[in-house]
Amino acid sequence: LGGNWPYYNNLAHPDEMLTARLHSSCHTRSLIHQDLKFLSQGLEGRSSNPVSVLMDCLTHPGADAGLDMPQLLKWRPHADKAIDHIVLGKGPPGGAWQAMDGNVLTISLNSWMELPGLEFRRWEARNGNPVSSTRRVPVASVAAYYRDYVKLMRLSKYFRSGVIVTAVRPIGGLAPQSGEKIDSEAETASCHCSARWAVEGYDTVTNEPFLYVCRSVVLATGSTDQHNFLNVLGEHSHPSWLFHDLADFEKAMVDLVKENPGIKEGYRTVDPVCIVGAGLSAADAVLSSRFHSLPLIHIFRRAEVSPERTLPENMYPEYHKVHQM
C-alpha cells in the first residue's frame, strides 16, 4: 500500500521447478504484474491461498525444512503507486507483540518474524544488539523490531496508534450522534475515493472521536483478546482462581508462592493446580507451575499429544519436557 513493490532477485529456490518458473518470467516486471497462478503451481505450505504460499516461499525459502537462505525478493519504491491508507491500533505498531511477556522466546525462528525489506539480524546489528543465530528470540526483541520497522521504512505517516474503533459501517447506513445519515455523495467528493465505508472511533488519550470514510476496510484484529472457554457450569463464577489468560494465571501463581513459601519433597504445600488443554499456552502454564514447584494436574482430551510434527525437539526442548511428563 505504501508503494513498495516486490521484484524477483534472480536467486535460486530449493524448489527447482519454482526457480524455473521464476526465470521464465520477466525480471523487470514486479510480481504484482506477473502471472501469480502460474508461479504458485504445485507449491505447498501452511495456507490454502496459493499467493500466500508463493510469498512465503519467496520471502523465507526452505524455512519449513529448517534452511536459512536469503529471500528471493527485492523491494523498490514507487511513490506514484502508493495507495492512501491509515492503520488504526490500540497500541504501538506490533499489535499483540507489545502486550506479551518480553522474556518469553518466540515459537517461530527470528527470520520468520521479518517484515519485507529489513532483515531481523541486520536490525539487531544496527541497534548494537548481539546478532542472534537462526533461532528463537525474546518477544521483547520482536516487539522492538516491529516498532522500529515502521520508522525505518518511513511508514509512520500511515499509522495512528492509541485509538479504539467502535463502528465499521457501509456509507448510507451510519447514523452519527446527530441522528443524520452520512451523505454518500458529499463524503465521496471530500475524499476522492468513491467511499463505501465509514469507520468510527475515539482517541484513548484525548477521548476525541474520529470518522474515516474509505473505499475498502481490512479488519486485521487478530484473536489474542479472545480466550478459549469450556462453557461448563461455574466457569465464570470464580474469577479469583479460574483463569483463561496465561498472564493472569502467572500473576496469581506469584501471589500463591509468596503466601506459601514452604516446600516439602520438591513441592509447595498447596492444593494442586489444574491445567486444562494440550496447546502451547497449556504447556507454558505447565512449565510455569513446575518452575514454581507447584503440584500439578494436567487434563487434555487425547491420549497422546506429541509436539514432534510441528516443534522439533532440538529447537523446542521445553515443550518436549511437558510431553515427557
Side-chain angles (χ1 to χ4, degrees), residues 21 31 34-43 50-51 54:
R21 291 194 297 273
L31 285 179
Q34 301 282 1
D35 185 348
L36 299 181
K37 183 178 181 180
F38 166 71
L39 292 176
S40 60
Q41 284 180 1
L43 297 180
V51 176
L54 173 64

Side-chain angles (χ1 to χ4, degrees), residues 100-136:
M100 296 179 186
D101 183 348
N103 296 315
V104 175
L105 293 179
T106 60
I107 297 298
S108 301
L109 303 185
N110 56 4
S111 61
W112 297 2
M113 315 306 298
E114 292 175 352
L115 296 177
L118 181 61
E119 292 183 5
F120 193 89
R121 278 173 283 185
R122 183 159 62 90
W123 170 82
E124 286 182 309
R126 179 190 181 102
N127 285 272
N129 298 329
V131 178
S132 59
S133 62
T134 57
R135 297 293 175 178
R136 299 154 65 194

Side-chain angles (χ1 to χ4, degrees), residues 183-292:
D183 185 333
S184 179
E185 293 184 2
E187 292 295 349
T188 299
S190 66
C191 73
H192 309 289
C193 65
S194 302
R196 295 196 295 260
W197 296 93
V199 180
E200 276 189 304
Y202 64 91
D203 189 293
T204 57
V205 176
T206 64
N207 286 325
E208 292 185 2
F210 64 78
L211 170 65
Y212 289 97
V213 291
C214 52
R215 186 170 56 187
S216 302
V217 176
V218 177
L219 298 179
T221 54
S223 59
T224 55
D225 293 337
Q226 300 176 4
H227 305 304
N228 291 327
F229 295 93
L230 294 175
N231 296 317
V232 296
L233 186 65
E235 186 172 6
H236 302 285
S237 304
H238 308 283
S240 62
W241 55 266
L242 197 155
F243 306 96
H244 298 88
D245 181 82
L246 184 61
D248 292 340
F249 172 67
E250 290 178 337
K251 290 177 183 177
M253 275 198 300
V254 172
D255 293 337
L256 183 63
V257 168
K258 289 180 180 178
E259 296 171 1
N260 300 273
I263 296 180
K264 183 178 181 181
E265 297 181 356
Y267 293 96
R268 296 191 184 276
T269 53
V270 296
D271 291 332
V273 173
C274 179
I275 297 171
V276 180
L280 295 181
S281 293
D284 285 333
V286 170
L287 291 170
S288 294
S289 300
R290 294 299 302 120
F291 176 79
H292 290 292

